[in-house]
Amino acid sequence: MNNRDIQAAWRYHDETKHSYWSIRNNPHTLDWANRPQPFKIYPKLEPFPLPRDVPQTGVAALSAISEPVPSSRADSVPDLQDLARILYFSAGITKQRRSSGGEIYFRAAACTGALYEIELYVVTDVLAGLDAGVYHFNPADVSLCLLRKGDFRGNLAEATAREPAVAHAPATIICTGTYWRNAWKYQTRTYRHFGWDNGTLLANMLAVAAASGLPAEIVLGFVDAEVSRLLDLDTRREVSLCLVPIGRTSELSLPKPREAPVLHLETVPVSQRQVEYPAMLQMHDASSLESVEEVTQWRGKPPTLPSSGLAGEEVQLQRLPEEEQENDTIEQVILRRGSTRTFDRTASITLAQLSTILDCATRGLPADFLEPTASQLNNLYLIVHSVQGLKPGAYFFGREHNALELLKEGKFRAEAHHLGLEQELPADACVDIFFLADLKRILERYGNRGYRAVQLEAGTIGGRIYLAAYAVHLGATGLTFFDDDVISFFSPHARDKSAIFLLALGKPLKRKPQ
Ligand SMILES: Cc1cc2nc3c(=O)[nH]c(=O)nc-3n(C[C@H](O)[C@H](O)[C@H](O)COP(=O)(O)O)c2cc1C
């Protein structure tokens, strides 16, 4: 299959839309006896424990989210403590709760169904406290397992067509997705969830790297088969999704790519039985890059997405003044974060809070598929229920103008309830933020891999919104949605766009003591 045959992405997208009827006609039920294991375990490998008492960065969450470290800065090499901090605050266990289905280990970043299908690996040179190697991170005991000994960074430089951030990075984290762990509940839609759940985790990773003084960026251009071989993945079950080079050295004495033979490492099965969903394997194959030449061509220029002028009534966004901003550190905010389970329908938030969250979350993402000043792939559309200083209604966020354009005025709690899969959360929130994208242009430019890019960007901005909301002591939750009804609701403005992601913001309902 070919990345340029973009019918593959359209087919997958159309076949995995939710509608009122698709939900009602789906006979799928959860097989609790076959519930997937939340961790990938290599039973024969000795874990290398990571330090747990790592010093806090002291950096305020809002700055960490929105001010990445420029990659042009002098050398910055992570040590073992930096690596431990970045891994733990991206994918570590932050809470534990018993439920009827068993113990749930909640993690640093939000994840659909708390199923945690994203795994992290590290390919590193020698760092202070760690030998060079290819490692797997296990959040269950905060440890690394050594899969290959030696410096394999040359393999990643080659696989990314010498992407500068990867070629200069002392260490690179690789994110993978394990199909069955999420498909157990969400079936074929899991390929979308890969982008969302990887994205929320990346928001944490980029913020904690920035707070640690280390440049980091998202790299999506790589030869899939080379990276998967390096990690010894069984690609019918687990696939590489993106790379995040961490830190920078000016020296360019990368080792040559090394042989990476099959390892046959034993892992504990995810479940007794797994169901394979061919549409996802096809979507992955069709969006894979097969050679270094294809990666070079793919990276090229971002699409020119027309920046929408604002036609209607406009409201200028105004951030919270510096002195009123919360100064909780990024680590404190990540530990506090958790998806809001009930919003207080009687509460409101301020325009300054909303402005601060939108501004922090949409400051340019460091990613090889975006230019810092170029448009985002996703546009944000809002349903405002109760924000002081804004009329209730539907809005378009004009990022370049730092303004909201009123599309239609009205009280739309009932509509939000419907659009968010008939859940109470989007109806009770203060604002619902929908991510919509012009898939046609994106796929024309990036091929099927544009589908991965747009989902990943949405998840990462969504993850930043989560963090910014908790930084200003509000609540948030990701949500899923009825695809085509979202587009109808925001049309004619949203005509020709596709629904990608949804997140609700508001004040968590405080339960009265019994
Ligand atoms: C993209 C995304 C979509 C989600 N969709 C829903 C949803 O439709 N309904 C819901 O109640 N929670 C939803 N959640 C919240 C997850 O259930 C929650 O993140 C997970 O249980 C982990 O809990 P935590 O976020 O509190 O750590 C979603 C989360 C994400 C990241």
Side-chain angles (χ1 to χ4, degrees):
M1 265 191 263
N2 182 328
N3 185 48
R4 302 285 357 148
D5 173 14
I6 58 171
Q7 287 316 313
W10 279 119
R11 204 175 314 120
Y12 174 79
H13 184 69
D14 290 338
E15 282 172 8
T16 55
K17 282 180 177 173
H18 274 332
S19 71
Y20 181 84
W21 290 111
S22 73
I23 295 288
R24 280 166 177 75
N25 291 335
N26 185 353
H28 184 65
T29 52
L30 295 184
D31 178 0
W32 286 101
N34 197 36
R35 179 185 166 209
Q37 296 286 339
F39 304 108
K40 182 173 188 180
I41 309 280
Y42 295 87
K44 301 266 167 67
L45 298 185
E46 190 63 36
F48 172 81
L50 287 170
R52 295 195 186 211
D53 50 353
V54 175
Q56 293 241 338
T57 60
V59 175
L62 291 176
S63 341
I65 299 161
S66 54
E67 290 163 25
V69 177
S71 57
S72 54
R73 236 180 57 169
D75 285 13
S76 36
V77 178
D79 61 16
L80 188 61
Q81 295 207 332
D82 292 318
L83 195 60
R85 180 188 306 113
I86 293 170
L87 292 169
Y88 174 75
F89 286 99
S90 303
I93 298 169
T94 51
K95 298 182 195 86
Q96 189 172 337
R97 198 175 312 139
R98 186 166 285 283
S99 80
S100 53
E103 204 69 17
I104 305 184
Y105 298 95
F106 289 92
R107 308 272 194 98
C111 179
T112 51
L115 291 163
Y116 306 111
E117 74 278 10
I118 307 300
E119 295 286 338
L120 300 182
Y121 298 79
V122 187
V123 175
T124 179
D125 188 9
V126 180
L127 302 181
L130 190 68
D131 291 340
V134 177
Y135 294 87
H136 170 257
F137 172 59
N138 183 1
D141 58 0
V142 199
S143 70
L144 293 175
C145 267
L146 180 64
L147 309 184
R148 297 186 194 272
K149 198 170 164 46
D151 187 354
F152 284 83
R153 290 174 307 138
N155 299 52
L156 291 186
E158 172 91 0
T160 57
R162 297 194 85 79
E163 205 281 336
V166 174
H168 285 277
T172 292
I173 297 177
I174 303 171
C175 307
T176 71
T178 304
Y179 291 109
W180 174 245
R181 213 181 278 144
N182 193 269
W184 170 73
K185 180 167 182 186
Y186 297 105
Q187 302 175 280
T188 312
R189 228 171 124 93
T190 284
Y191 205 80
R192 297 188 187 207
H193 293 209
F194 275 179
W196 302 350
D197 297 333
N198 193 175
T200 56
L201 186 152
L202 287 172
N204 288 22
M205 191 180 283
L206 295 175
V208 176
S212 309
L214 296 162
E217 76 170 58
I218 305 169
V219 174
L220 205 52
F222 59 90
V223 181
D224 295 71
E226 294 302 325
V227 173
S228 293
R229 182 174 346 189
L230 184 62
L231 305 182
D232 205 46
L233 304 182
D234 170 357
T235 52
R236 295 187 79 98
R237 306 205 151 161
E238 182 183 358
V239 286
S240 319
L241 299 175
C242 73
L243 278 56
V244 185
I246 305 279
R248 181 186 161 87
T249 78
S250 46
E251 68 178 78
L252 241 193
S253 56
L254 269 181
K256 287 212 168 57
R258 302 162 62 132
E259 277 296 304
V262 179
L263 293 172
H264 299 295
L265 292 173
E266 189 185 323
T267 55
V268 175
V270 177
S271 276
Q272 294 147 19
R273 281 165 287 108
Q274 300 198 28
V275 179
E276 201 170 86
Y277 292 92
M280 292 203 279
L281 304 194
Q282 283 160 15
M283 180 61 222
H284 188 75
D285 274 356
S287 57
S288 289
L289 302 179
E290 283 166 13
S291 65
V292 171
E293 294 71 40
E294 200 182 356
V295 171
T296 310
Q297 272 177 14
W298 182 83
R299 198 163 281 129
K301 277 213 167 315
T304 36
L305 298 169
S307 77
S308 323
L310 303 186
E313 184 179 326
E314 256 180 59
V315 182
Q316 209 58 37
L317 294 180
Q318 288 168 356
R319 277 187 68 142
L320 286 164
E322 250 349 92
E323 62 281 6
E324 282 178 36
Q325 275 184 21
E326 299 290 337
N327 283 324
D328 290 352
T329 65
I330 184 68
E331 291 97 330
Q332 286 169 324
V333 169
I334 290 176
L335 294 177
R336 181 159 85 220
R337 191 211 59 80
S339 298
T340 303
R341 299 294 81 199
T342 314
F343 285 111
D344 182 351
R345 196 188 252 253
T346 63
S348 61
I349 65 171
T350 64
L351 182 58
Q353 286 173 322
L354 178 62
S355 306
T356 305
I357 293 168
L358 289 175
D359 180 43
C360 283
T362 58
R363 294 266 185 101
L365 271 188
D368 68 341
F369 57 90
L370 294 171
E371 278 181 3
T373 50
S375 313
Q376 286 175 186
L377 305 183
N378 285 274
N379 294 129
L380 306 192
Y381 286 75
L382 280 62
I383 301 184
V384 169
H385 303 302
S386 49
V387 176
Q388 295 158 36
L390 278 182
K391 295 173 188 163
Y395 289 83
F396 173 73
F397 173 46
R399 181 172 156 254
E400 294 86 355
H401 308 270
N402 194 33
L404 291 174
E405 174 187 348
L406 181 63
L407 302 178
K408 56 183 171 188
E409 195 179 333
K411 295 186 173 162
F412 295 123
R413 288 198 190 268
E415 288 78 357
H417 174 260
H418 170 76
L419 297 177
L421 234 64
E422 300 176 309
Q423 299 179 80
E424 299 305 324
L425 286 159
D428 293 343
C430 294
V431 196
D432 298 309
I433 306 177
F434 293 81
F435 292 57
L436 272 53
D438 184 345
L439 265 190
K440 186 164 174 292
R441 269 178 205 264
I442 293 167
L443 297 180
E444 273 166 8
R445 159 63 187 88
Y446 293 103
N448 293 315
R449 210 172 184 85
Y451 196 69
R452 295 195 200 177
V454 75
Q455 301 289 0
L456 195 65
E457 185 199 73
T460 312
I461 296 173
R464 282 175 158 188
I465 295 180
Y466 257 111
L467 295 174
Y470 281 82
V472 297
H473 293 275
L474 296 176
T477 184
L479 289 167
T480 192
F481 44 84
F482 290 139
D483 289 77
D484 290 343
D485 296 350
V486 169
I487 302 303
S488 305
F489 178 80
F490 288 107
S491 286
H493 196 285
R495 193 182 45 220
D496 302 331
K497 291 192 179 154
S498 300
I500 303 294
F501 192 89
L502 167 59
L503 201 128
L505 279 182
K507 289 198 176 151
L509 186 70
K510 291 211 174 66
R511 302 207 178 275
K512 295 198 180 78
Q514 307 230 325

